[in-house]
Amino acid sequence: MFNTRTDFALNKFDKTAIVCQSVSGPNIRLTREDFASEEEFIYWKNWSDSDYKEIDCTGREDDACLSLEDQHGLQVPSAEDVVLAPYIEAEQRERRRRMLKQIRTNLTAKQYRRLYLYYVEGKTEAEVAVLEGVGRRRISTSIMSGTKIVEKFFENFLRG
């Protein structure tokens, strides 16, 4: 048997109206008088019967949808955000690339390599020293001076 309280059952059993849910509570009944012609009512009555039947047969229920109250705080991206997202990401990648290039020009090759190993790859000063074949003190000094150069770059960048 089927549930006689579903939208499909309510709509199918009421031959004189299209029965549909209302967000405010009680069901809405659209009768022949609500349409411009008998043909228009019959068209929409047949459509609603078949639509409700499809929903009922697939096991979906309109009640499974989020209510307006549940959707109130939901963060949904706007159409503009969806369309523009790839362009914004590409612009941000290009900006990062240019910024990295500018930082690289302010550092020596050794400073850049050591900062990369230390900050990006997460290696310790001792590990960098082993890789570079120098003492840990030399690596520490190089990383500190390189960090100061990068900090100064960002101070200037943020100012102007």
Side-chain angles (χ1 to χ4, degrees):
M1 296 310 250
F2 60 92
N3 185 350
T4 58
R5 293 186 179 161
T6 65
D7 294 333
F8 171 62
L10 292 171
N11 192 58
K12 190 69 175 169
F13 290 135
D14 192 343
K15 302 286 185 201
T16 62
I18 298 171
V19 181
C20 54
Q21 289 183 354
S22 168
V23 292
S24 63
N27 287 339
I28 297 171
R29 292 184 73 248
L30 300 172
T31 62
R32 285 173 164 62
E33 291 78 36
D34 295 313
F35 293 87
S37 67
E38 178 73 17
E39 293 78 24
E40 186 180 14
F41 171 76
I42 292 170
Y43 171 81
W44 289 110
K45 175 69 174 162
N46 290 336
W47 179 86
S48 66
D49 285 346
S50 66
D51 187 53
Y52 280 137
K53 183 177 182 179
E54 179 186 334
I55 290 170
D56 200 52
C57 288
T58 59
R60 298 184 342 247
E61 291 189 29
D62 287 344
D63 293 341
C65 297
L66 290 176
S67 68
L68 290 176
E69 291 82 23
D70 293 338
Q71 293 181 34
H72 179 64
L74 200 59
Q75 293 291 331
V76 179
S78 68
E80 291 86 1
D81 290 341
V82 172
V83 170
L84 294 176
Y87 299 104
I88 291 170
E89 288 172 20
E91 185 178 295
Q92 289 172 340
R93 276 193 308 273
E94 178 60 23
R95 186 174 185 207
R96 281 192 300 267
R97 188 193 63 72
R98 283 193 319 263
M99 192 178 299
L100 188 58
K101 185 178 178 184
Q102 288 176 335
I103 290 171
R104 243 183 148 153
T105 60
N106 291 315
L107 297 171
T108 66
K110 283 182 183 179
Q111 284 175 328
Y112 181 80
R113 184 177 59 247
R114 291 171 180 174
L115 285 173
Y116 184 86
L117 291 169
Y118 184 74
Y119 285 109
V120 178
E121 291 191 9
K123 298 197 181 301
T124 65
E125 289 178 359
E127 291 172 325
V128 175
V130 169
L131 288 171
E132 296 275 321
V134 296
R136 192 182 101 18
R137 179 124 175 103
R138 189 174 282 177
I139 297 298
S140 181
T141 304
S142 180
I143 289 174
M144 282 185 358
S145 63
T147 302
K148 285 180 185 177
I149 291 169
V150 172
E151 286 173 352
K152 188 171 182 168
F153 169 80
F154 279 111
E155 284 176 13
N156 294 335
F157 178 79
L158 292 175
R159 276 192 229 143

